[in-house]
């Protein structure tokens, strides 16, 4: 392959691959980075997938040639959360940049691979670049498959849909190909793209913690596609001046949005109508926010209206709801005489037995709500006796002074309707349910 010529804003390959980043400075900086793990975060239509696909070839042409046959050897994994998404989105993007008619056929037998081979010619080194497309829809099984991979690098497409364990597993599989016999890797690493996620996602925490060091996670945040416009700033005829009204607010195209030159006219304007505010904030404005998918159990719940900072009333008893299993959880709230329910705190665990969880719950109750009168209810499934000590979960809680009792019913319809009831009424012009903003897991579950 002829050598690549670079300018300040574009990378041009005379063999036919042209990548123009003049309208996407964030993408350009992302592709120039050599961080071991780096991510490109942005709204839809910002060119993230194209950039990440192109990065494979950009790294392949920079790989040091083998001293044996003057060929640049490399191998990359491309990972998505499911095979349907892999085929309909990720590989479609790949084919637009690297069509089979030019770069050779794709082997569609799983694992799907595209092996690009270009012989050495006219003094230029050859290319041997193997791309393996993989779906990780069963994380525990699929992460084990990583142990057999010998890679140069890896691209994780829509990283927010995949667990952190996948990225961690990939981190010790990259840099293992080519071998030192063929010159070793000139660079190794992992890159990913993603739409914004919610604020309790590991990507958000990694970005906010700003971990430093040569092997840190580096994030590249693209500008929003659209920005909200205050009513006072609206022109006389908003719609005639490229403003769109959606989700109760006015929006306009962000002048600094990237990749606009490659999008059809009216792309964002046509996208917004009919979408709720969180969807627009996530996919069009590129903000970190939780967006619900599918039909919610509690359609009555409105997080914007029903989340806040309710205060603890020490004159009322605390109501504690418990769930058991290896991910025990508790919700702590109060029922006021007016019928208002306030949820004050949550205790959430992962891969934890009841004993450790109960001690954690007891410590939280004593610290936050000392001397409170407790009314504790648990999942009726906790009445089952364990096979070793023949005790129920409720029996064990009583040994710690937590006098819990099973909920009156485990019927789904009864539980759903009782939860929905306070959401459907107003008390003093405010919703009958208020959830503390710090109860992030509960708010996400209700949404």
């Amino acid at each position: 392959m002829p050598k690549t010529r670079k300018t300040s804003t574009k990378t041009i390959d005379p063999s036919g691959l042209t990548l123009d980043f003049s309208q996407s400075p964030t993408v350009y900086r992302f592709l120039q980075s050599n961080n071991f793990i780096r991510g490109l975060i942005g709204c839809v239509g910002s060119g993230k997938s194209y950039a990440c696909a192109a990065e494979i070839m950009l790294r392949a042409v920079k790989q040091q040639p083998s001293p044996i046959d003057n060929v640049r050897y490399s191998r990359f994994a491309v990972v998505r959360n499911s095979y349907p998404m892999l085929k309909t989105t990720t590989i479609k993007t790949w084919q637009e940049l690297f069509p089979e008619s030019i770069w050779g056929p794709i082997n569609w037998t799983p694992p799907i691979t595209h092996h690009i081979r270009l012989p050495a010619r006219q003094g230029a080194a050859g290319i041997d670049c193997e791309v393996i497309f993989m779906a990780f829809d069963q994380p525990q099984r699929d992460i084990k498959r990583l142990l057999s991979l010998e890679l140069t690098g890896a691209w994780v497409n829509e990283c927010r849909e995949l667990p952190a364990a996948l990225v961690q597993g990939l981190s010790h599989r990259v840099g293992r190909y080519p071998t030192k016999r063929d010159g070793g890797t000139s660079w190794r690493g992992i890159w990913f793209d993603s739409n914004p996620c919610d604020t309790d996602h590991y990507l958000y925490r990694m970005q906010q913690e700003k971990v430093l060091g040569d092997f840190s996670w580096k994030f590249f945040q693209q500008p929003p596609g659209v920005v909200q416009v205050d009513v006072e700033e609206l022109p006389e005829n908003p719609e005639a001046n490229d403003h769109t009204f959606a989700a109760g607010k006015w929006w306009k195209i962000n002048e600094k949005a990237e990749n606009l030159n490659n999008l059809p006219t009216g792309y964002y304007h046509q996208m917004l109508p009919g979408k709720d505010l969180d969807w627009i904030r996530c996919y069009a404005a590129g903000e970190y926010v939780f967006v619900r998918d599918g039909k919610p159990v509690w359609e009555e719940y409105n997080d914007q209206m029903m989340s806040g900072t309710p205060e603890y009333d020490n004159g009322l008893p605390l109501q504690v709801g418990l769930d058991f299993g290896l991910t025990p959880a508790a919700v702590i709230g109060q029922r006021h005489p007016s019928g208002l329910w306030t949820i004050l705190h949550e205790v959430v665990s992962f891969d934890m037995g009841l004993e450790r969880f109960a001690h954690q719950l007891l410590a939280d109750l004593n610290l936050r709500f000392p001397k409170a009168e407790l009314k504790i209810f648990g999942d009726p499934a906790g009445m089952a006796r364990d096979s070793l000590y023949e005790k129920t979960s409720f029996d064990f809680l009583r040994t710690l002074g937590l006098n819990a009792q099973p909920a009156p019913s485990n019927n789904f319809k009864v539980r759903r309707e009782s939860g929905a009831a306070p959401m459907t009424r107003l008390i003093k012009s405010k919703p009958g349910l208020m959830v503390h903003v710090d109860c992030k897991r509960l708010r996400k579950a209700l949404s």
Side-chain angles (χ1 to χ4, degrees):
M1 173 178 286
K3 290 185 177 179
T4 299
R5 175 170 57 86
K6 291 183 179 178
T7 69
S8 61
T9 59
K10 59 180 64 178
T11 302
I12 304 171
D13 182 337
S15 68
L17 178 62
T18 301
L19 306 172
D20 187 349
F21 306 125
S22 58
Q23 302 295 317
S24 303
T26 308
V27 171
Y28 181 75
R29 292 195 303 271
F30 168 77
L31 294 175
Q32 298 304 305
S33 171
N34 285 317
N35 276 77
F36 181 61
I37 301 177
R38 60 201 153 103
L40 187 60
I41 310 294
C43 58
V44 296
S46 60
K48 302 183 299 297
S49 297
Y50 278 91
C52 289
E55 172 72 341
I56 291 178
M57 188 55 63
L58 294 176
R59 291 295 173 181
V61 299
K62 294 177 183 177
Q63 170 60 37
Q64 178 180 336
S66 167
I68 299 174
D69 55 8
N70 197 32
V71 172
R72 304 178 192 271
Y73 290 96
S74 59
R75 182 184 296 136
F76 300 91
V78 178
V79 179
R80 189 69 196 255
N81 60 317
S82 70
Y83 264 112
M85 298 302 294
L86 187 70
K87 290 181 178 180
T88 59
T89 58
T90 311
I91 296 180
K92 290 295 183 184
T93 299
W94 175 262
Q95 288 179 302
E96 289 184 37
L97 272 174
F98 304 101
E100 295 177 82
S101 59
I102 297 175
W103 300 89
I106 293 177
N107 179 6
W108 292 95
T109 303
I112 302 170
T113 57
H114 195 187
H115 205 151
I116 297 174
R117 297 182 178 92
L118 299 174
R121 56 185 179 183
Q122 299 177 355
I127 297 288
D128 188 299
C129 176
E130 185 180 1
V131 184
I132 306 171
F133 296 93
M134 306 180 71
F136 281 69
D137 47 5
Q138 297 184 36
Q140 290 186 341
R141 179 205 67 186
D142 295 330
I143 288 174
K144 293 180 181 179
R145 291 163 52 195
L146 293 176
L147 300 178
S148 62
L149 294 179
E150 307 286 335
L151 302 170
T152 308
W155 164 30
V156 182
N157 187 211
E158 274 304 331
C159 191
R160 71 174 189 173
E161 306 292 344
L162 291 155
L166 170 67
V167 182
Q168 295 165 353
L170 283 170
S171 66
H172 57 85
R173 306 314 303 174
V174 299
R176 301 171 68 98
Y177 183 86
T179 63
K180 289 187 177 181
R181 176 176 175 272
D182 283 315
T185 54
S186 301
W187 174 87
R188 67 185 187 277
I190 302 164
W191 66 98
F192 62 86
D193 66 286
S194 181
N195 295 124
C197 49
D198 51 274
T199 53
D200 65 349
H201 197 281
Y202 70 88
L203 287 181
Y204 179 83
R205 295 197 300 269
M206 289 300 300
Q207 185 173 10
Q208 296 305 308
E209 289 172 5
K210 301 185 186 301
V211 182
L212 301 178
D214 293 337
F215 294 95
S216 65
W217 291 50
K218 176 72 172 178
F219 287 82
F220 294 82
Q221 185 86 37
Q222 293 180 285
V226 299
V227 292
Q228 185 181 330
V229 182
D230 293 332
V231 176
E232 299 80 23
E233 299 176 0
L234 286 174
E236 289 187 8
N237 192 352
E239 293 183 348
N241 288 277
D242 287 334
H243 288 64
T244 301
F245 188 76
K249 300 183 182 299
W250 284 97
W251 308 87
K252 70 174 182 179
I253 301 297
N254 180 21
E255 295 178 355
K256 296 182 179 179
E258 299 191 351
N259 200 45
L260 289 176
N261 56 317
N262 292 317
L263 297 176
T265 303
Y267 177 81
Y268 286 112
H269 290 303
Q270 294 168 350
M271 176 194 304
L272 302 185
K275 306 298 195 302
D276 62 38
L277 183 59
D278 284 341
W279 193 98
I280 294 173
R281 289 173 58 197
C282 175
Y283 292 107
E287 299 177 21
Y288 283 102
V289 63
F290 173 70
V291 179
R292 65 187 185 187
D293 294 318
K295 184 179 179 180
V297 174
W298 283 284
E299 294 180 324
E300 300 86 351
Y301 181 72
N302 184 320
D303 189 62
Q304 284 188 300
M305 293 177 58
M306 299 180 188
S307 62
T309 54
E311 295 184 359
Y312 166 52
D313 186 340
N314 57 16
L316 295 174
L318 282 178
Q319 307 271 352
V320 182
L322 293 176
D323 192 22
F324 304 114
L326 285 177
T327 56
V331 172
I332 302 166
Q334 291 182 304
R335 187 181 188 278
H336 297 252
S338 64
L340 170 69
W341 275 93
T342 56
I343 307 301
L344 306 170
H345 186 54
E346 66 180 7
V347 181
V348 183
S349 68
F350 299 93
D351 196 20
M352 182 183 291
L354 182 60
E355 182 178 4
R356 277 199 299 154
F357 174 76
H359 283 290
Q360 180 179 329
L361 173 62
L362 190 60
D364 270 30
L365 289 171
N366 290 333
L367 178 64
R368 293 173 179 270
F369 314 103
K371 301 180 180 180
E373 178 188 351
L374 301 177
K375 293 185 177 181
I376 308 175
F377 297 90
D379 184 349
M383 288 297 292
R385 294 190 297 174
D386 69 67
S387 58
L388 184 60
Y389 298 107
E390 299 184 5
K391 287 188 175 183
T392 70
S393 298
F394 294 97
D395 292 334
F396 173 75
L397 291 173
R398 292 189 189 104
T399 66
L400 299 179
L402 296 172
N403 189 22
Q405 54 184 312
S409 174
N410 205 22
N411 180 274
F412 169 76
K413 186 174 181 179
V414 172
R415 296 171 68 178
R416 202 217 80 86
E417 293 304 320
S418 62
M423 303 179 193
T424 59
R425 59 176 175 253
L426 292 177
I427 299 173
K428 296 182 180 179
S429 302
K430 294 184 178 180
L433 172 70
M434 288 299 298
V435 182
H436 200 285
V437 292
D438 291 340
C439 297
K440 295 181 179 179
R441 289 286 176 179
L442 175 61
R443 290 168 55 206
K444 183 175 180 179
L446 290 172
S447 295

